[in-house]
Amino acid sequence: MNPVNQVSTTISSTNSKYPQPSSVEDKSSVEDKETPVKQLSNTNLKVNIKHPPEQCAQASDYTFRQVAITATAQTRLVNSTGFTLQPGPPPETTPVTEVLPGKNQQLHGIFELINQRLTYMEDVALFKDRENRAVEDLTREKMVLEKAMSDAKNAGLDPNSMEHFFQAQMNAAKAIQYGYIKQWSSARPANKKHRDLYSEVRPRLIELGKQIVSQISAYLKNGGKFDNNMQQDFVRLVNATHLSEDDKEKMFECLQRIRVI
């Protein structure tokens, strides 16, 4: 270590947990040579003592402890030996993405709404299976996308980015329906009832879609972000039956692309 960055600190006999050896000058001569350190303002000091406190309390080898001081202000320090200490660089910091409790609650609310919307796909699949309807309905998909884009624009979100997210949701919804129908191919649930598609399921899906757009808008405008470290919560909370990990990943990626306008 460069001697410019070292400070040998004389421990005063009045602080006498650490008595000095007889070869060291007496207290009065040491005090005469000590120069008070100029008080710093707006300065961050990082002090690292070589020995832990419990070891220092038991030490009897009369050795001086070296104290490394890193200063980030422009003030220059002068120690008792006359060496000038130059200000060092500021300590390195790692940026941390912090989700405040309120934002965390908003985030989980969005994920739960997305999952709730997908859980209705069992009713949709059962209806289509019994009525011999195709899973894919492009006319209906177009209506859903147009409604989502309109809701997004009214909520202050980029409609195109919301379109991609809702398309990913619908792709996942179709995959879930196919999963149920394949499951029932060997044993169709004859007595299982489904909620009515027209009077109950679709109105509820429309309402959930509107809530999802509204909650995403409020979250983003409040400074929220869909960072990669939130994907684990998304995977945990969006867990509808027959939903694949691949579809979860695609939905989250599209969620990350939604922008405020």
Side-chain angles (χ1 to χ4, degrees):
M1 182 181 293
N2 192 318
V4 172
N5 292 325
Q6 294 182 345
V7 180
S8 294
T9 304
T10 303
I11 303 176
S12 173
S13 61
T14 58
N15 238 343
S16 61
K17 285 187 178 181
Y18 315 106
Q20 306 305 312
S22 56
S23 60
V24 178
E25 299 174 77
D26 61 24
K27 174 182 176 183
S28 59
S29 63
V30 171
E31 288 178 345
D32 290 340
K33 289 187 177 182
E34 290 181 342
T35 304
V37 176
K38 183 177 179 180
Q39 185 176 359
L40 300 178
S41 60
N42 299 324
T43 302
N44 295 323
L45 296 179
K46 182 180 179 182
V47 180
N48 180 20
I49 301 178
K50 186 175 181 181
H51 300 282
E54 62 273 13
Q55 292 182 10
C56 291
Q58 300 173 5
S60 59
D61 58 357
Y62 306 117
T63 58
F64 295 106
R65 272 66 180 180
Q66 292 183 335
V67 180
I69 301 177
T70 302
T72 60
Q74 294 302 316
T75 309
R76 302 171 71 180
L77 303 178
V78 179
N79 66 6
S80 59
T81 62
F83 288 111
T84 301
L85 299 178
Q86 299 292 343
E92 294 183 1
T93 58
T94 302
V96 177
T97 301
E98 181 180 8
V99 181
L100 300 177
K103 288 183 181 179
N104 193 56
Q105 188 175 4
Q106 277 186 302
L107 187 71
H108 286 181
I110 293 168
F111 295 167
E112 288 166 0
L113 286 173
I114 293 170
N115 186 65
Q116 188 178 348
R117 190 177 189 278
L118 293 173
T119 59
Y120 276 88
M121 293 308 109
E122 181 180 9
D123 295 283
V124 176
L126 190 56
F127 173 85
K128 290 180 178 179
D129 187 51
R130 286 178 176 172
E131 298 295 325
N132 292 319
R133 302 279 187 89
V135 168
E136 189 171 60
D137 185 346
L138 297 180
T139 302
R140 181 67 189 172
E141 287 185 28
K142 183 179 178 181
M143 293 173 60
V144 172
L145 289 176
E146 289 175 349
K147 180 69 168 62
M149 293 174 71
S150 175
D151 290 341
K153 185 175 181 180
N154 293 335
L157 298 175
D158 174 40
N160 292 326
S161 63
M162 185 59 71
E163 179 186 14
H164 292 307
F165 172 65
F166 265 78
Q167 184 64 64
Q169 276 195 115
M170 288 192 296
N171 291 342
K174 287 185 288 185
I176 291 172
Q177 292 176 54
Y178 283 123
Y180 276 114
I181 292 173
K182 182 178 180 181
Q183 174 187 327
W184 299 330
S185 62
S186 57
R188 180 178 294 182
N191 298 322
K192 187 175 179 62
K193 295 182 178 180
H194 60 80
R195 289 168 283 193
D196 186 76
L197 183 66
Y198 298 103
S199 65
E200 187 174 355
V201 175
R202 282 184 175 171
R204 183 56 181 156
L205 292 177
I206 292 172
E207 179 59 30
L208 284 169
K210 188 174 182 179
Q211 288 181 30
I212 290 169
V213 172
S214 175
Q215 290 297 317
I216 290 174
S217 175
Y219 176 71
L220 293 178
K221 289 180 179 179
N222 194 32
K225 294 181 180 180
F226 296 106
D227 290 335
N228 289 334
N229 59 357
M230 300 170 184
Q231 188 168 358
Q232 186 175 357
D233 282 347
F234 181 84
V235 170
R236 177 174 58 86
L237 295 172
V238 183
N239 57 6
T241 303
H242 295 302
L243 178 62
S244 70
E245 296 301 313
D246 185 53
D247 281 326
K248 290 182 185 182
E249 183 178 349
K250 289 177 181 177
M251 280 193 293
F252 190 78
E253 287 176 357
C254 290
L255 194 60
Q256 289 181 298
R257 296 173 188 166
I258 298 175
R259 297 290 179 264
V260 176
I261 56 175

